[in-house]
Structures are given as structure tokens and as C-alpha cells.
Amino acid sequence: MTFDWRRPMLTAEALTLGAGLLVGGLGLCALMSAQSIALAAVALGAMGFGALVILTRQVQRPLLALLIFTAPIEINKALVAPLVSRYYAAGPYYSPGLYLSLAHIALLCLAAAWLARLLLLERRRPPITRLDMLVLLFLACIWLRSIGSPQGILSIASAISYSLAVLAFYVVSHTIRNASDVRLVLRASLAVLLLTAVYAAAQAVTKSQLELPGIKPLAAGATIDFGGEGAAFRPPGFLAHPNALAHYLLIAISPAIAVVLLGPRRLPARTWWLAMLAMGAGGATLLATLSRGGWASAALATSFIVAVCYRRGLITSRQLGLILCTIALGAFAAVIVYPNILLRLTAPDGRSLESRVLLADMAWTIIKANPWIGVGFGEYNRAAYAYVPPLFATVSPDYQLALHQLVVHNHYMLLAAELGIPVALFFCYLLWRFARLPWPLERWRDPLSFALAIGLSAAVVGQAFFFNSDNYYVDTRVFLFWVSAGVLQALSLQAGREERK
């Protein structure tokens, strides 16, 4: 009897078995040669994952869950460090560089498994939507302004790093195919959210970062000084900064808020209560970050969700009034329990606002000199030494030097400075397209998918606001943004398939 490799089931089983054995074998080799606890833990995890693949005979679904779970955990290793040994004018210049994280490893494995199944078993070409084409066009602009850069390999490494984020958007968009996949993503999202909340709570109680191997400790930002009113510790969670944690929580709790607003009558009681748990744990952790940008973005996202639900008749005017009263009472209680919330809004901010104004003036000076094509991707810090903004004359040279180590805390201005105003406007158009994905709302059949889509659309709106006030280069937050956009497109494509049926 001959073995027919053309039979899809046998081929799939062979590929799955081979993948499990390969991952488990690599984990065993790494464990035998481990020189640190962190490497040993990763090796054991790889062996366990390989065993799971062999037992369940599935590769794609475990990898998808692993990607979602590890996305907000910033354990990484620098492949191309951001600081180069060359100097321009008075100091070093930077570019994002290339870091390999656990989520990147899961993404690359998931992409390989998905493409192997698509090409070898289903004999289909990779799908591509109109939105995919627009995203690829945006990525092409990044690469065009990276090739030939004075920073050489550093600029290319930064473009590769951004490409990984876009790859996550594409792969997630097309690997979440049905309700079972959606439930898998929800379980992984809830698990990492609760783990993050517990870890951040432990950091807040101990007033320590509780550093894990592979997570870069904060040089600044963990403690904020309120002048004569004292100081407060800000937990960063599994990320490199409290503001980054706030950005992740904005993405995580927005769908939970939408699910809660649907009410327990439209959803299974267990699902609704889990959404309540996620909203409560994520909301409390968001308050503890003391991120003003995160608070404002979450308020905008919540308002967006409430407005959509009200217009769709999912909540009545009486319920809307109760929601507003609950929010007001909750805010008052939060200030009573944790007065640092009010101090964060009223006390001195350690020249944070002044620094943002100066950085914006620097970026605007660069943009005015290079309005159409920018200075090149990853070239912001080099250009900052070449252009002298007018407001820098009002601060000391030491303060100027400190600002030169940063990029503008406005993602739109950063894109305009590096890629030009047209590309920055094109990115704004992409944000609008992402936020509009759930529409028309009449096509949604499943209440849970509808709530998740509206919540993720609100998260895009909130992130679009957050981009105005914080330092977004090619980092974990950018990766999280593209992953969330991928989940949103996957839900919309699934709704479209259900409507056609």
C-alpha cells in the first residue's frame, strides 16, 4: 500500500506532527544548553507547546492563542540595537532598531503554518482585501524611505520591525475564520489581561518594577513627583512604560465595555460576567498607571461605544442616564480611594507638558524643512541635531541635550517628519478605514461579535487620540495597534461571510 501525500488529512497530520517534533526538539536542545533561568523557562515552554501540538494535532490555533497572549508581554532581545556608534554634531542619534520578542516568534511560526496549509493543502493563494492593499502601500512608503538611509542597516532593521507589526495585522486578519477562533482569541486575551492586572497590582503594592528577565527596566517614568504633594509609583506591567501599559489596557477593555453594555439578556450570563471582570480589572489597572493620555483615550473610546449603542437602540435614555451617573459616582469614589488620580491632574507634572511642547516645536521645524518626503524612516533623531527649533533658545543646553534623546510625543508629527505630510495624512485615512470596518451595522448576526467589533473600533478611535500625546516609535504599542486592527478586520470579514450565507 502506497502513501498518498495528496490526501489533505494525511498531509496535514504529517505537517502537524513534524512541527510538534521540531518545536519540542528545539526546546529540548535549548534546555540542555541553557545558561540562565529565563532561557530554561523559554525552552520548557517550547517543549510544552510541542507536546500540545502533537496531542491536539493542531498547529495554527495554539500559535494564534500564543500570539495574542504574548503580544502585551515585552520580553525581547535586541538583534540590531537602536544606538549606533556614529555621531552627528554633538551627540548620538537613534533609530528604533530591531527586537525579537516572544510575540514575534509566535507570529512567524503562525504565518509559516498558515501559509503552508493554504498553499500545500488547500492549494489557494493568500487572500488580500482592499484594506490589505492600502496597508501594504503604507508599508511600501516606509521601505522607500528606509533604503539608502545614512543610518544603513539600522534604518533597514527599523523597517523590518515595522513590517512585523503589519505582518501581524495581515496574518491575524485571515487566520481568525470562525466563532471557535474568536472564542480562542477571547480566552487568550482574558488570560493575559488578568495576569497583567495581578502583576501590575503586585508592582503597585511593592512599589517596585519586579523586573522579569528580558523586560527592560525603566530609566524614568516609574515614579512621578507631585512637587510638595509627594510622589506616586506607576506600575508598567509587562511593558516598558506605564503609558505603554495604558495603551494596551485601552485596547483590552474597550471590547469588554461594549459586551457589558449589551447586557446579560442578549449574551450568555458567563460571557457577560467575564466581560465585567475584564472591565473591572483592566479599568482599575488603567487608573493605577496614572496615564492622563490613557484616561482621556479610554473616555473617548467609552463615549464612542455608548453613542453607537444608544443610536442602535441597545440602551434606552433611562439606561444612558444611569450609565452617566455610575461613571460620575465611580470617578468620585476612585478619587477618594486613590487621591493620586486627582493630583495627577492638578499637581506639577515635572515639566512633562513643557517637554512635549518643545519636542513638537522640534518636529514642526523638521516638517517645514521637509514637508513632502520627510527626512527618512528612522532618521528623526539625526535630523533633530541638524535643525534648531526656535523654542530651544528658551531652555538650557543640558535640557536640549536630554530632549535630543527623545522623539516627538505625537505619532502624526513623527510620521510627517520622517515620511512627509502626505504619508501622515494617508495613515490618518487608514485609521478612519479601520474605525469604519464594522459598518454597516445591520449585517451583524451574532451579538458577541458585534460587541467585540464595536469595542475594537472604539479602541482604534481611542488610540488615534492617544497618538497625539505620547512617544510612539516602532515598539510594542505599535505592534499591539496592528494586532488589534487585524482582529477587527477578521471579525468584519467573518460578518461579511455570514451575511452572504
Side-chain angles (χ1 to χ4, degrees), residues 134-346:
L134 292 174
V135 169
L136 289 176
L137 178 59
F138 175 71
L139 183 61
C141 295
I142 290 177
W143 274 98
L144 286 174
R145 298 300 291 131
S146 300
I147 299 174
S149 166
Q151 302 214 67
I153 186 63
L154 188 57
S155 182
I156 297 298
S158 302
I160 293 174
S161 184
Y162 205 103
S163 299
L164 288 173
V166 173
L167 176 65
F169 163 78
Y170 177 72
V171 172
V172 169
S173 294
H174 300 288
T175 53
I176 301 175
R177 296 282 300 175
N178 49 48
S180 178
D181 294 333
V182 173
R183 289 193 296 270
L184 179 70
V185 169
L186 286 178
R187 293 190 188 104
S189 301
L190 179 62
V192 71
L193 173 61
L194 296 180
L195 183 62
T196 299
V198 171
Y199 185 55
Q203 290 175 326
V205 170
T206 61
K207 292 183 171 53
S208 170
Q209 297 181 41
L210 301 178
E211 299 172 16
L212 294 177
I215 296 182
K216 307 298 184 294
L218 274 74
T223 302
I224 184 168
D225 185 10
F226 295 129
E229 303 293 337
F233 179 81
R234 305 175 64 197
F238 294 111
L239 295 165
H241 197 277
N243 289 348
L245 175 59
H247 177 263
Y248 158 64
L249 293 170
L250 165 66
I251 298 173
I253 67 175
S254 295
I257 293 172
V259 172
V260 168
L261 285 181
L262 279 189
R265 294 184 178 180
R266 299 185 179 93
L267 297 166
R270 180 172 176 268
T271 300
W272 189 80
W273 281 109
L274 287 175
M276 283 286 290
L277 175 63
M279 184 181 69
T285 308
L286 178 61
L287 290 175
T289 64
L290 296 178
S291 171
R292 294 171 296 187
W295 296 344
S297 301
L300 178 61
T302 303
S303 301
F304 181 89
I305 296 169
V306 172
V308 172
C309 291
Y310 182 73
R311 286 183 59 86
R312 292 290 299 171
L314 299 175
I315 55 177
T316 64
S317 299
R318 180 174 178 272
Q319 290 172 327
L320 178 60
L322 290 174
I323 291 171
L324 295 177
C325 290
T326 302
I327 292 174
L329 291 174
F332 180 75
V335 171
I336 296 297
V337 174
Y338 192 50
N340 287 332
I341 295 174
L342 183 60
L343 290 175
R344 182 59 169 148
L345 298 174
T346 58

